[in-house]
Amino acid sequence: MKPLFTLPESARETLLRRYADRIEVNPSLSRALVSYQSNRKRSNYRWFKYKEGFSASLVEYLIGRFQLVDGVVLDPFAGSGATLFVAREHGLPSVGIELLPVGIHAVRARLAAEQIDRREFAAAVAAIAAGKWKVEPDPTLSFQHLRITVGAFPDAAERGLAQFRTYLRDCISSDEVRQVLDFACFSILESISYTRKDGQYLRWDSRAPRGLPGKAFDKGPIAEFETALLARLREIMEDLDEPALFAKVSDSALPRLDILSGSCLELLPSLQAESSDALITSPPYCNRYDYTRTYALELAYLGIDEQKLKGLRQSLLSCTVENRSKVDWLHTFYAAQRSPGTLKAALQAFEGQEALQEVLAALERKASRGELNNANVPRMVRNYFLESAVAVFEWARILKPGGQVALVNDNVRYGGEEVPVDLILSDLAERAGFTTERIWTLSRGKGNSSQQMGAHGRTELRKCVYIWRR
Ligand SMILES: C[S@@+](CC[C@H](N)C(=O)[O-])C[C@H]1O[C@@H](n2cnc3c(N)ncnc32)[C@H](O)[C@@H]1O
């Protein structure tokens, strides 16, 4: 019997139906592969735990699937540079853009490590192991805390940091050796602190003198400065001694690796049209994750003060509830570039994406009824897609015809409203001139949060790698 009436299909259902035959579970992708996990034991990639990174093995897999044997690889959200370094190992030149000085520091340290005189480095590490670094600390080199990092280190660790930095300045003459030693020190900050990078913020151990309200938290052993530093230095030495690092590069000259520091919204327009052959990246997810809080220790170490921190937070691709609109800035910026066409086309695509407009309207309604746990969620979601649209239109300009894109991202849900990030971004990409070839998902997605599951029942959120072709 025919039903008396049927509800009209929602824009999200229509979009899902359009893509259904291209969404497929890819058994080659595991959670470990699309996250940093698989890097933990991998030479050179294990020096700095960039939790938001993806694994070198994933980039290798994608380069293989794309059958990339030459051409430039672009990563506009380069993080600590997995895409760039794997491309380099395969003889491919690469260009990366990264906003946070954290990733930039990691990439530059690895480049310095390639240039290092091994014997000189080994001698410096031996001197450090012998305790030569325990000099009188210069007070001007003491840790310059941000408000949210005050009290993050035990006193001995904080003194160790100042001593070590004084030693580097006064006693290490080679720039590359100093840079790698400094990076080793930078890379252990979390392990010697009372904090742990957890979810959206830094989580504080109950042993920290600054008694924070909330649940007691024990991060486990807090490493001692000297022990952690020496362990990292030994790891770096071991990796630098590996003979086959660039075995896949036939030519003795390493391919170019350019890392540009700043926002991709500002830097992409300066890249030449049709100058890249592939793009492998993972943008911030639309999940309220605040990189500037999570990496506050590392940012403070790199000399970022309160004002710069706020600037970085606002420059993030909108992914926190604090991000304000960049639309006015985008208009002024593109007008000054004399290329308002790309922005106009991206904004039109954004406004015309029905499923997105449906999500935004639903979220606004929920916010006005107080049904979201933060009233700025609709603004974040709106700006996330608006800025992503601009980035995607730039990628379409920069990639050569036939160029391939792999993008790692998670879907999200707020107040029970599913945001099909994969489908919306793929549709925006098609409006920019891409074809969506596949939306690969991991075999099991994840719920947004335990709170959401309780209130709205558990439905799986896709965790995806999208494959587009220009
Ligand atoms: C998911 S992570 C990418 C990690 C990277 N795939 C790796 O393996 O290290 C997203 C990165 O985008 C960066 N980011 C956020 N907003 C940005 C912007 N406007 N321009 C450039 N990078 C940005 C963040 O700092 C973060 O490092």
mmCIF file of all heavy atoms in Angstrom, residues 315-359:
data_model
loop_
_atom_site.group_PDB
_atom_site.id
_atom_site.type_symbol
_atom_site.label_atom_id
_atom_site.label_comp_id
_atom_site.label_asym_id
_atom_site.label_seq_id
_atom_site.Cartn_x
_atom_site.Cartn_y
_atom_site.Cartn_z
ATOM 1 N N SER A 315 43.245 33.914 13.368
ATOM 2 C CA SER A 315 43.645 33.578 11.989
ATOM 3 C C SER A 315 43.422 32.113 11.649
ATOM 4 O O SER A 315 43.521 31.713 10.485
ATOM 5 C CB SER A 315 45.129 33.883 11.771
ATOM 6 O OG SER A 315 45.368 35.228 12.031
ATOM 7 N N LEU A 316 43.185 31.274 12.657
ATOM 8 C CA LEU A 316 42.890 29.855 12.384
ATOM 9 C C LEU A 316 41.719 29.773 11.417
ATOM 10 O O LEU A 316 40.807 30.609 11.487
ATOM 11 C CB LEU A 316 42.438 29.143 13.665
ATOM 12 C CG LEU A 316 43.442 28.804 14.749
ATOM 13 C CD1 LEU A 316 42.691 28.332 16.003
ATOM 14 C CD2 LEU A 316 44.399 27.709 14.287
ATOM 15 N N LEU A 317 41.723 28.804 10.536
ATOM 16 C CA LEU A 317 40.504 28.513 9.795
ATOM 17 C C LEU A 317 39.439 28.316 10.881
ATOM 18 O O LEU A 317 39.647 27.504 11.795
ATOM 19 C CB LEU A 317 40.683 27.230 8.985
ATOM 20 C CG LEU A 317 39.507 26.896 8.086
ATOM 21 C CD1 LEU A 317 39.699 27.539 6.721
ATOM 22 C CD2 LEU A 317 39.346 25.397 7.916
ATOM 23 N N SER A 318 38.333 29.052 10.821
ATOM 24 C CA SER A 318 37.392 29.084 11.953
ATOM 25 C C SER A 318 37.025 27.683 12.442
ATOM 26 O O SER A 318 36.316 26.952 11.753
ATOM 27 C CB SER A 318 36.123 29.830 11.564
ATOM 28 O OG SER A 318 36.393 31.200 11.485
ATOM 29 N N CYS A 319 37.536 27.341 13.612
ATOM 30 C CA CYS A 319 37.241 26.010 14.146
ATOM 31 C C CYS A 319 37.024 26.085 15.651
ATOM 32 O O CYS A 319 36.927 25.065 16.315
ATOM 33 C CB CYS A 319 38.375 25.037 13.803
ATOM 34 S SG CYS A 319 39.979 25.564 14.424
ATOM 35 N N THR A 320 36.956 27.319 16.185
ATOM 36 C CA THR A 320 36.639 27.477 17.607
ATOM 37 C C THR A 320 35.459 28.445 17.730
ATOM 38 O O THR A 320 35.219 29.238 16.814
ATOM 39 C CB THR A 320 37.812 28.062 18.423
ATOM 40 O OG1 THR A 320 37.834 29.490 18.231
ATOM 41 C CG2 THR A 320 39.156 27.501 18.004
ATOM 42 N N VAL A 321 34.776 28.377 18.862
ATOM 43 C CA VAL A 321 33.613 29.259 19.036
ATOM 44 C C VAL A 321 34.038 30.716 19.227
ATOM 45 O O VAL A 321 33.206 31.615 19.220
ATOM 46 C CB VAL A 321 32.736 28.799 20.226
ATOM 47 C CG1 VAL A 321 31.969 27.550 19.862
ATOM 48 C CG2 VAL A 321 33.561 28.578 21.487
ATOM 49 N N GLU A 322 35.325 30.937 19.395
ATOM 50 C CA GLU A 322 35.800 32.321 19.544
ATOM 51 C C GLU A 322 36.106 32.995 18.216
ATOM 52 O O GLU A 322 36.291 34.201 18.160
ATOM 53 C CB GLU A 322 37.054 32.342 20.416
ATOM 54 C CG GLU A 322 36.730 32.137 21.874
ATOM 55 C CD GLU A 322 37.961 31.780 22.667
ATOM 56 O OE1 GLU A 322 38.820 32.654 22.826
ATOM 57 O OE2 GLU A 322 38.060 30.617 23.089
ATOM 58 N N ASN A 323 36.239 32.207 17.150
ATOM 59 C CA ASN A 323 36.593 32.805 15.858
ATOM 60 C C ASN A 323 35.489 33.746 15.359
ATOM 61 O O ASN A 323 34.325 33.352 15.273
ATOM 62 C CB ASN A 323 36.835 31.708 14.804
ATOM 63 C CG ASN A 323 38.198 31.080 14.957
ATOM 64 O OD1 ASN A 323 38.319 29.921 15.346
ATOM 65 N ND2 ASN A 323 39.238 31.837 14.678
ATOM 66 N N ARG A 324 35.914 34.956 15.028
ATOM 67 C CA ARG A 324 34.964 35.910 14.450
ATOM 68 C C ARG A 324 35.038 35.836 12.927
ATOM 69 O O ARG A 324 35.971 35.273 12.369
ATOM 70 C CB ARG A 324 35.304 37.321 14.940
ATOM 71 C CG ARG A 324 34.965 37.519 16.423
ATOM 72 C CD ARG A 324 35.142 38.958 16.829
ATOM 73 N NE ARG A 324 36.531 39.375 16.737
ATOM 74 C CZ ARG A 324 37.434 39.234 17.708
ATOM 75 N NH1 ARG A 324 37.087 38.699 18.855
ATOM 76 N NH2 ARG A 324 38.667 39.639 17.536
ATOM 77 N N SER A 325 34.069 36.476 12.292
ATOM 78 C CA SER A 325 33.996 36.406 10.823
ATOM 79 C C SER A 325 35.209 37.069 10.164
ATOM 80 O O SER A 325 35.690 38.105 10.617
ATOM 81 C CB SER A 325 32.724 37.109 10.361
ATOM 82 O OG SER A 325 32.777 37.292 8.970
ATOM 83 N N LYS A 326 35.678 36.448 9.100
ATOM 84 C CA LYS A 326 36.784 37.041 8.329
ATOM 85 C C LYS A 326 36.275 37.628 7.015
ATOM 86 O O LYS A 326 37.075 37.995 6.161
ATOM 87 C CB LYS A 326 37.834 35.966 8.009
ATOM 88 C CG LYS A 326 38.489 35.316 9.227
ATOM 89 C CD LYS A 326 39.551 34.322 8.785
ATOM 90 C CE LYS A 326 40.223 33.580 9.922
ATOM 91 N NZ LYS A 326 39.355 32.706 10.711
ATOM 92 N N VAL A 327 34.956 37.727 6.864
ATOM 93 C CA VAL A 327 34.414 38.145 5.566
ATOM 94 C C VAL A 327 34.882 39.540 5.163
ATOM 95 O O VAL A 327 35.330 39.750 4.032
ATOM 96 C CB VAL A 327 32.871 38.084 5.574
ATOM 97 C CG1 VAL A 327 32.308 38.770 4.351
ATOM 98 C CG2 VAL A 327 32.424 36.650 5.548
ATOM 99 N N ASP A 328 34.814 40.483 6.085
ATOM 100 C CA ASP A 328 35.224 41.860 5.732
ATOM 101 C C ASP A 328 36.691 41.862 5.332
ATOM 102 O O ASP A 328 37.082 42.480 4.348
ATOM 103 C CB ASP A 328 35.005 42.819 6.920
ATOM 104 C CG ASP A 328 33.520 43.022 7.165
ATOM 105 O OD1 ASP A 328 32.732 42.678 6.260
ATOM 106 O OD2 ASP A 328 33.160 43.486 8.263
ATOM 107 N N TRP A 329 37.480 41.157 6.130
ATOM 108 C CA TRP A 329 38.909 41.078 5.821
ATOM 109 C C TRP A 329 39.115 40.450 4.434
ATOM 110 O O TRP A 329 39.914 40.941 3.628
ATOM 111 C CB TRP A 329 39.630 40.260 6.900
ATOM 112 C CG TRP A 329 41.047 40.023 6.529
ATOM 113 C CD1 TRP A 329 42.085 40.891 6.690
ATOM 114 C CD2 TRP A 329 41.579 38.863 5.851
ATOM 115 N NE1 TRP A 329 43.233 40.343 6.165
ATOM 116 C CE2 TRP A 329 42.959 39.110 5.645
ATOM 117 C CE3 TRP A 329 41.036 37.664 5.410
ATOM 118 C CZ2 TRP A 329 43.793 38.188 5.010
ATOM 119 C CZ3 TRP A 329 41.860 36.740 4.771
ATOM 120 C CH2 TRP A 329 43.228 37.004 4.583
ATOM 121 N N LEU A 330 38.370 39.390 4.145
ATOM 122 C CA LEU A 330 38.531 38.713 2.845
ATOM 123 C C LEU A 330 38.210 39.667 1.696
ATOM 124 O O LEU A 330 38.931 39.722 0.696
ATOM 125 C CB LEU A 330 37.615 37.479 2.769
ATOM 126 C CG LEU A 330 38.119 36.226 3.501
ATOM 127 C CD1 LEU A 330 37.012 35.180 3.642
ATOM 128 C CD2 LEU A 330 39.322 35.611 2.777
ATOM 129 N N HIS A 331 37.136 40.462 1.857
ATOM 130 C CA HIS A 331 36.767 41.412 0.793
ATOM 131 C C HIS A 331 37.890 42.424 0.571
ATOM 132 O O HIS A 331 38.297 42.671 -0.560
ATOM 133 C CB HIS A 331 35.459 42.130 1.146
ATOM 134 C CG HIS A 331 34.238 41.302 0.835
ATOM 135 N ND1 HIS A 331 33.908 40.919 -0.454
ATOM 136 C CD2 HIS A 331 33.299 40.762 1.643
ATOM 137 C CE1 HIS A 331 32.800 40.181 -0.419
ATOM 138 N NE2 HIS A 331 32.419 40.074 0.844
ATOM 139 N N THR A 332 38.389 42.977 1.663
ATOM 140 C CA THR A 332 39.452 43.992 1.542
ATOM 141 C C THR A 332 40.697 43.354 0.926
ATOM 142 O O THR A 332 41.334 43.917 0.035
ATOM 143 C CB THR A 332 39.821 44.532 2.956
ATOM 144 O OG1 THR A 332 38.602 44.824 3.624
ATOM 145 C CG2 THR A 332 40.687 45.764 2.885
ATOM 146 N N PHE A 333 41.012 42.168 1.408
ATOM 147 C CA PHE A 333 42.227 41.490 0.961
ATOM 148 C C PHE A 333 42.159 41.169 -0.538
ATOM 149 O O PHE A 333 43.076 41.468 -1.304
ATOM 150 C CB PHE A 333 42.410 40.206 1.787
ATOM 151 C CG PHE A 333 43.590 39.389 1.382
ATOM 152 C CD1 PHE A 333 44.879 39.831 1.646
ATOM 153 C CD2 PHE A 333 43.427 38.179 0.721
ATOM 154 C CE1 PHE A 333 45.988 39.074 1.260
ATOM 155 C CE2 PHE A 333 44.521 37.424 0.335
ATOM 156 C CZ PHE A 333 45.802 37.873 0.604
ATOM 157 N N TYR A 334 41.047 40.584 -0.962
ATOM 158 C CA TYR A 334 40.934 40.208 -2.384
ATOM 159 C C TYR A 334 40.859 41.438 -3.281
ATOM 160 O O TYR A 334 41.347 41.419 -4.407
ATOM 161 C CB TYR A 334 39.742 39.270 -2.608
ATOM 162 C CG TYR A 334 40.144 37.821 -2.451
ATOM 163 C CD1 TYR A 334 40.153 37.220 -1.194
ATOM 164 C CD2 TYR A 334 40.556 37.069 -3.541
ATOM 165 C CE1 TYR A 334 40.544 35.893 -1.038
ATOM 166 C CE2 TYR A 334 40.956 35.740 -3.396
ATOM 167 C CZ TYR A 334 40.949 35.155 -2.145
ATOM 168 O OH TYR A 334 41.349 33.846 -1.999
ATOM 169 N N ALA A 335 40.244 42.515 -2.769
ATOM 170 C CA ALA A 335 40.186 43.739 -3.576
ATOM 171 C C ALA A 335 41.610 44.244 -3.794
ATOM 172 O O ALA A 335 41.977 44.640 -4.901
ATOM 173 C CB ALA A 335 39.328 44.784 -2.875
ATOM 174 N N ALA A 336 42.430 44.168 -2.741
ATOM 175 C CA ALA A 336 43.812 44.649 -2.862
ATOM 176 C C ALA A 336 44.626 43.750 -3.795
ATOM 177 O O ALA A 336 45.554 44.200 -4.454
ATOM 178 C CB ALA A 336 44.459 44.702 -1.483
ATOM 179 N N GLN A 337 44.257 42.457 -3.860
ATOM 180 C CA GLN A 337 44.960 41.530 -4.759
ATOM 181 C C GLN A 337 44.510 41.716 -6.207
ATOM 182 O O GLN A 337 45.007 41.069 -7.099
ATOM 183 C CB GLN A 337 44.611 40.071 -4.398
ATOM 184 C CG GLN A 337 44.905 39.657 -2.995
ATOM 185 C CD GLN A 337 46.365 39.352 -2.831
ATOM 186 O OE1 GLN A 337 46.937 38.617 -3.609
ATOM 187 N NE2 GLN A 337 46.977 39.958 -1.833
ATOM 188 N N ARG A 338 43.488 42.505 -6.394
ATOM 189 C CA ARG A 338 42.850 42.671 -7.713
ATOM 190 C C ARG A 338 42.373 41.329 -8.279
ATOM 191 O O ARG A 338 42.457 41.070 -9.468
ATOM 192 C CB ARG A 338 43.793 43.335 -8.709
ATOM 193 C CG ARG A 338 44.253 44.673 -8.203
ATOM 194 C CD ARG A 338 44.566 45.626 -9.296
ATOM 195 N NE ARG A 338 44.867 46.910 -8.645
ATOM 196 C CZ ARG A 338 46.042 47.452 -8.566
ATOM 197 N NH1 ARG A 338 47.004 46.896 -9.094
ATOM 198 N NH2 ARG A 338 46.245 48.588 -7.960
ATOM 199 N N SER A 339 41.933 40.453 -7.402
ATOM 200 C CA SER A 339 41.393 39.177 -7.897
ATOM 201 C C SER A 339 40.114 38.821 -7.152
ATOM 202 O O SER A 339 40.009 37.757 -6.565
ATOM 203 C CB SER A 339 42.421 38.059 -7.722
ATOM 204 O OG SER A 339 42.716 37.915 -6.342
ATOM 205 N N PRO A 340 39.141 39.767 -7.156
ATOM 206 C CA PRO A 340 37.933 39.487 -6.362
ATOM 207 C C PRO A 340 37.109 38.329 -6.931
ATOM 208 O O PRO A 340 36.221 37.829 -6.267
ATOM 209 C CB PRO A 340 37.155 40.813 -6.422
ATOM 210 C CG PRO A 340 37.675 41.529 -7.617
ATOM 211 C CD PRO A 340 39.056 41.049 -7.877
ATOM 212 N N GLY A 341 37.419 37.895 -8.159
ATOM 213 C CA GLY A 341 36.627 36.841 -8.810
ATOM 214 C C GLY A 341 36.583 35.545 -8.021
ATOM 215 O O GLY A 341 35.522 34.954 -7.841
ATOM 216 N N THR A 342 37.740 35.119 -7.519
ATOM 217 C CA THR A 342 37.795 33.847 -6.783
ATOM 218 C C THR A 342 36.926 33.940 -5.534
ATOM 219 O O THR A 342 36.160 33.026 -5.214
ATOM 220 C CB THR A 342 39.251 33.518 -6.383
ATOM 221 O OG1 THR A 342 40.067 33.643 -7.530
ATOM 222 C CG2 THR A 342 39.371 32.134 -5.800
ATOM 223 N N LEU A 343 37.039 35.064 -4.834
ATOM 224 C CA LEU A 343 36.254 35.228 -3.603
ATOM 225 C C LEU A 343 34.758 35.239 -3.934
ATOM 226 O O LEU A 343 33.961 34.572 -3.270
ATOM 227 C CB LEU A 343 36.656 36.533 -2.891
ATOM 228 C CG LEU A 343 35.848 36.847 -1.646
ATOM 229 C CD1 LEU A 343 36.047 35.777 -0.575
ATOM 230 C CD2 LEU A 343 36.225 38.224 -1.078
ATOM 231 N N LYS A 344 34.407 35.969 -4.977
ATOM 232 C CA LYS A 344 32.993 36.083 -5.335
ATOM 233 C C LYS A 344 32.418 34.697 -5.664
ATOM 234 O O LYS A 344 31.344 34.326 -5.177
ATOM 235 C CB LYS A 344 32.868 37.011 -6.554
ATOM 236 C CG LYS A 344 31.495 37.544 -6.758
ATOM 237 C CD LYS A 344 31.481 38.648 -7.801
ATOM 238 C CE LYS A 344 30.055 38.765 -8.308
ATOM 239 N NZ LYS A 344 29.967 39.105 -9.703
ATOM 240 N N ALA A 345 33.167 33.926 -6.448
ATOM 241 C CA ALA A 345 32.697 32.590 -6.835
ATOM 242 C C ALA A 345 32.572 31.694 -5.604
ATOM 243 O O ALA A 345 31.603 30.934 -5.455
ATOM 244 C CB ALA A 345 33.660 31.980 -7.841
ATOM 245 N N ALA A 346 33.537 31.797 -4.693
ATOM 246 C CA ALA A 346 33.502 30.960 -3.485
ATOM 247 C C ALA A 346 32.297 31.333 -2.613
ATOM 248 O O ALA A 346 31.605 30.455 -2.081
ATOM 249 C CB ALA A 346 34.804 31.121 -2.704
ATOM 250 N N LEU A 347 32.034 32.636 -2.482
ATOM 251 C CA LEU A 347 30.911 33.068 -1.645
ATOM 252 C C LEU A 347 29.578 32.639 -2.265
ATOM 253 O O LEU A 347 28.660 32.238 -1.548
ATOM 254 C CB LEU A 347 30.941 34.594 -1.436
ATOM 255 C CG LEU A 347 32.128 35.110 -0.603
ATOM 256 C CD1 LEU A 347 32.077 36.624 -0.458
ATOM 257 C CD2 LEU A 347 32.179 34.448 0.776
ATOM 258 N N GLN A 348 29.523 32.678 -3.589
ATOM 259 C CA GLN A 348 28.289 32.228 -4.258
ATOM 260 C C GLN A 348 28.067 30.737 -4.011
ATOM 261 O O GLN A 348 26.957 30.305 -3.731
ATOM 262 C CB GLN A 348 28.416 32.438 -5.764
ATOM 263 C CG GLN A 348 27.751 33.721 -6.218
ATOM 264 C CD GLN A 348 28.062 34.019 -7.680
ATOM 265 O OE1 GLN A 348 28.636 33.202 -8.389
ATOM 266 N NE2 GLN A 348 27.672 35.213 -8.100
ATOM 267 N N ALA A 349 29.142 29.968 -4.114
ATOM 268 C CA ALA A 349 29.028 28.519 -3.882
ATOM 269 C C ALA A 349 28.566 28.272 -2.445
ATOM 270 O O ALA A 349 27.687 27.448 -2.183
ATOM 271 C CB ALA A 349 30.371 27.847 -4.133
ATOM 272 N N PHE A 350 29.154 28.992 -1.516
ATOM 273 C CA PHE A 350 28.802 28.861 -0.102
ATOM 274 C C PHE A 350 27.312 29.167 0.105
ATOM 275 O O PHE A 350 26.594 28.390 0.737
ATOM 276 C CB PHE A 350 29.686 29.810 0.716
ATOM 277 C CG PHE A 350 29.207 30.053 2.103
ATOM 278 C CD1 PHE A 350 29.502 29.147 3.111
ATOM 279 C CD2 PHE A 350 28.461 31.189 2.417
ATOM 280 C CE1 PHE A 350 29.043 29.357 4.408
ATOM 281 C CE2 PHE A 350 28.013 31.409 3.713
ATOM 282 C CZ PHE A 350 28.295 30.491 4.701
ATOM 283 N N GLU A 351 26.854 30.299 -0.445
ATOM 284 C CA GLU A 351 25.448 30.699 -0.248
ATOM 285 C C GLU A 351 24.502 29.702 -0.913
ATOM 286 O O GLU A 351 23.402 29.477 -0.433
ATOM 287 C CB GLU A 351 25.187 32.105 -0.827
ATOM 288 C CG GLU A 351 25.926 33.240 -0.119
ATOM 289 C CD GLU A 351 25.503 33.439 1.330
ATOM 290 O OE1 GLU A 351 24.464 32.883 1.749
ATOM 291 O OE2 GLU A 351 26.242 34.169 2.042
ATOM 292 N N GLY A 352 24.954 29.094 -2.015
ATOM 293 C CA GLY A 352 24.061 28.220 -2.779
ATOM 294 C C GLY A 352 24.078 26.772 -2.333
ATOM 295 O O GLY A 352 23.387 25.940 -2.909
ATOM 296 N N GLN A 353 24.852 26.432 -1.347
ATOM 297 C CA GLN A 353 24.947 25.026 -0.917
ATOM 298 C C GLN A 353 23.775 24.720 0.022
ATOM 299 O O GLN A 353 23.797 25.091 1.199
ATOM 300 C CB GLN A 353 26.305 24.793 -0.236
ATOM 301 C CG GLN A 353 26.894 23.405 -0.455
ATOM 302 C CD GLN A 353 25.953 22.285 -0.039
ATOM 303 O OE1 GLN A 353 25.368 22.318 1.042
ATOM 304 N NE2 GLN A 353 25.766 21.302 -0.904
ATOM 305 N N GLU A 354 22.769 24.043 -0.525
ATOM 306 C CA GLU A 354 21.498 23.917 0.201
ATOM 307 C C GLU A 354 21.630 23.166 1.521
ATOM 308 O O GLU A 354 21.050 23.566 2.539
ATOM 309 C CB GLU A 354 20.446 23.205 -0.669
ATOM 310 C CG GLU A 354 20.089 23.908 -1.969
ATOM 311 C CD GLU A 354 21.047 23.535 -3.108
ATOM 312 O OE1 GLU A 354 22.013 22.768 -2.875
ATOM 313 O OE2 GLU A 354 20.840 24.019 -4.241
ATOM 314 N N ALA A 355 22.384 22.068 1.511
ATOM 315 C CA ALA A 355 22.487 21.269 2.744
ATOM 316 C C ALA A 355 23.154 22.101 3.847
ATOM 317 O O ALA A 355 22.765 22.047 5.020
ATOM 318 C CB ALA A 355 23.290 19.998 2.481
ATOM 319 N N LEU A 356 24.134 22.879 3.455
ATOM 320 C CA LEU A 356 24.816 23.728 4.426
ATOM 321 C C LEU A 356 23.851 24.784 4.981
ATOM 322 O O LEU A 356 23.791 24.997 6.202
ATOM 323 C CB LEU A 356 26.023 24.401 3.750
ATOM 324 C CG LEU A 356 26.725 25.487 4.539
ATOM 325 C CD1 LEU A 356 27.267 24.955 5.858
ATOM 326 C CD2 LEU A 356 27.883 26.076 3.710
ATOM 327 N N GLN A 357 23.102 25.400 4.087
ATOM 328 C CA GLN A 357 22.159 26.433 4.557
ATOM 329 C C GLN A 357 21.105 25.797 5.469
ATOM 330 O O GLN A 357 20.676 26.407 6.452
ATOM 331 C CB GLN A 357 21.516 27.169 3.367
ATOM 332 C CG GLN A 357 22.528 27.915 2.485
ATOM 333 C CD GLN A 357 23.455 28.857 3.266
ATOM 334 O OE1 GLN A 357 23.039 29.466 4.265
ATOM 335 N NE2 GLN A 357 24.718 28.964 2.857
ATOM 336 N N GLU A 358 20.734 24.562 5.163
ATOM 337 C CA GLU A 358 19.771 23.840 6.024
ATOM 338 C C GLU A 358 20.384 23.610 7.416
ATOM 339 O O GLU A 358 19.746 23.858 8.441
ATOM 340 C CB GLU A 358 19.438 22.504 5.367
ATOM 341 C CG GLU A 358 18.507 21.614 6.162
ATOM 342 C CD GLU A 358 18.327 20.279 5.432
ATOM 343 O OE1 GLU A 358 17.539 20.221 4.466
ATOM 344 O OE2 GLU A 358 18.978 19.284 5.841
ATOM 345 N N VAL A 359 21.632 23.175 7.438
ATOM 346 C CA VAL A 359 22.317 22.935 8.717
ATOM 347 C C VAL A 359 22.386 24.245 9.505
ATOM 348 O O VAL A 359 22.082 24.289 10.708
ATOM 349 C CB VAL A 359 23.765 22.421 8.477
ATOM 350 C CG1 VAL A 359 24.584 22.491 9.757
ATOM 351 C CG2 VAL A 359 23.755 21.016 7.930
#
